[in-house]
């Protein structure tokens, strides 16, 4: 990706909005994509929603995932 706020980062942020970690995968950051997907998905599970972890952990982590994809500057 070119720079923070570039069209590629906007597309990555939109991808991460729908599927956590997809934006990082689009940017070529495989480990970050896998970790975001696993942790956000774990909080979205039935057990996570039952104990309120969904709102405490998953929602802020999902928002962080979107912002991370949008603000990524590259190497």
């Amino acid at each position: 990706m070119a720079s923070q706020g570039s069209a590629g980062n906007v597309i990555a942020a939109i991808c991460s909005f729908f599927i956590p970690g997809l934006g990082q995968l689009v940017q070529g950051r495989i480990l970050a994509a896998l970790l975001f997907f696993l942790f956000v998905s774990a909080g979205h599970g039935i057990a996570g929603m039952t104990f309120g972890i969904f709102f405490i952990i998953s929602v802020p982590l999902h928002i962080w995932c979107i912002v991370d994809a949008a603000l990524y500057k590259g190497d």
Side-chain angles (χ1 to χ4, degrees), residues 15-39:
C15 290
S16 284
F17 176 79
F18 291 107
I19 299 174
L22 184 59
Q24 284 77 11
L25 189 63
V26 167
Q27 293 171 331
R29 301 171 8 189
I30 298 171
L31 181 61
L34 181 64
L35 291 175
F36 273 124
F37 180 76
L38 289 176
F39 286 120

Side-chain angles (χ1 to χ4, degrees), residues 1-14:
M1 299 295 138
S3 65
Q4 175 182 340
S6 69
N9 283 2
V10 172
I11 292 170
I14 292 170

